[in-house]
Amino acid sequence: MASKYVLVYNDITTRIQSGMYPAGSRLPAENLLIREYGVSRDTLRKALAMLEQDGYIQKARGREALVLDRDKVVFPVSGLTSFQELAVAEGYQTKTHVVLLESVRGCRELMKALDLSREDEAWRLYRVREIEGERVILDKDFLNRRYVPELTEADCADSLYRYLEKDLGLKIGCAQKEITACRPSEEDRRYLDLGKNDIMIVVSSYVYLESGALFQHTESRHRWDRFRFVDFARRSRM
């Protein structure tokens, strides 16, 4: 027989999924849930911790837990997870459309983004990401051709990082990321299904090889209503 906290967890998830506790609402107070389920406070809090870990709720000190929108894609801010890896892990039906792939030289935008000289060449790659039938991400990638000499649409439509790591043997080390919000650009409106959405969440990344070389700059533009950006933080010892 399952532990009591697992039974409580299962029942509350059923209520959330059925709409009894809709996204944006709050769960009943802990004392009410303890009486309803006939469990101890520790048992209830174990169940609530599982619900928070699985993205169903967000707990706050002194307030009832907030029910989260599970239809939003969880996008990990820390770590270097590709779109394909995320899609497989979360079980989404996705498509990638390569809308631009070209080699350029002497472009000020790319020279600044990748610290290139006028003679250096770089790939400019635009991909539209479709999730469950909606085009919701525009990925704009710029890659130094010194490290990525050849690139095809087939490589880009599949998993770019798998190609870079497996076929080219690149050792990807780390990335510096910045998250901002802005109004949609003309490119956003041209490529994405925005509807009435008028805010884009932009994740700008500078990606380095293990050698320390900057080889990629990515501007990933997301429709704000389809994603939750999450991270894990640990308090440092002062």
Side-chain angles (χ1 to χ4, degrees):
M1 182 177 177
S3 300
K4 287 185 178 180
Y5 72 90
V6 174
L7 296 176
V8 175
Y9 166 89
N10 290 338
D11 191 67
I12 294 178
T13 56
T14 298
R15 295 183 181 190
I16 292 173
Q17 291 166 354
S18 69
M20 181 177 174
Y21 300 145
S25 68
R26 294 190 178 273
L27 295 184
E30 286 190 5
N31 288 338
L32 295 177
L33 292 172
I34 288 170
R35 287 200 296 269
E36 178 179 356
Y37 289 110
V39 296
S40 68
R41 189 172 298 276
D42 284 345
T43 296
L44 176 67
R45 288 184 172 174
K46 283 185 180 180
L48 295 179
M50 284 182 62
L51 289 164
E52 184 172 43
Q53 179 179 331
D54 290 346
Y56 285 101
I57 65 170
Q58 178 178 313
K59 295 190 295 181
R61 185 182 298 274
R63 299 192 66 186
E64 293 81 9
L66 176 69
V67 179
L68 299 176
D69 186 352
R70 289 274 294 179
D71 288 336
K72 292 187 177 182
V73 179
V74 176
F75 193 100
V77 177
S78 59
L80 279 168
T81 305
S82 72
F83 176 80
Q84 291 292 348
E85 292 167 341
L86 177 64
V88 170
E90 297 292 333
Y92 292 109
Q93 295 295 319
T94 66
K95 290 183 181 179
T96 294
H97 306 273
V98 179
V99 296
L100 176 66
L101 176 61
E102 61 181 0
S103 179
V104 295
R105 176 187 293 167
C107 172
R108 288 186 178 182
E109 179 187 19
L110 298 189
M111 290 169 61
K112 181 178 180 181
L114 292 173
D115 194 21
L116 303 178
S117 69
R118 289 185 176 276
E119 291 71 35
D120 291 327
E121 290 186 75
W123 293 106
R124 191 200 317 261
L125 167 64
Y126 288 9
R127 290 174 293 174
V128 172
R129 311 297 200 166
E130 184 178 312
I131 300 178
E132 305 294 343
E134 286 191 298
R135 299 185 179 208
V136 294
I137 304 174
L138 172 60
D139 277 339
K140 302 167 67 173
D141 291 281
F142 311 109
L143 301 107
N144 191 333
R145 284 201 69 169
R146 181 187 309 168
Y147 306 105
V148 188
E150 300 297 331
L151 194 60
T152 68
E153 287 195 14
D155 298 325
C156 302
D158 189 18
S159 173
L160 178 60
Y161 269 26
R162 182 164 60 236
Y163 168 70
L164 297 177
E165 293 176 321
K166 301 298 184 183
D167 292 23
L168 298 186
L170 296 181
K171 303 295 185 182
I172 300 172
C174 62
Q176 177 182 340
K177 298 186 179 183
E178 179 181 80
I179 301 177
T180 56
C182 65
R183 299 292 184 184
S185 67
E186 289 302 316
E187 287 177 335
D188 296 328
R189 297 189 184 281
R190 182 186 318 141
Y191 293 123
L192 302 180
D193 298 324
L194 293 184
K196 296 182 179 180
N197 292 277
D198 60 354
I199 296 293
M200 302 296 296
I201 302 299
V202 182
V203 181
S204 180
S205 304
Y206 293 87
V207 188
Y208 298 82
L209 300 176
E210 288 184 354
S211 65
L214 171 64
F215 86 101
Q216 179 187 19
H217 170 57
T218 297
E219 185 180 294
S220 192
R221 305 177 65 86
H222 302 72
R223 208 179 81 181
W224 74 272
D225 64 320
R226 288 302 307 274
F227 298 91
R228 287 189 291 118
F229 295 87
V230 300
D231 196 3
F232 174 80
R234 187 185 299 277
R235 180 171 171 80
S236 61
R237 299 295 182 184
M238 303 299 291

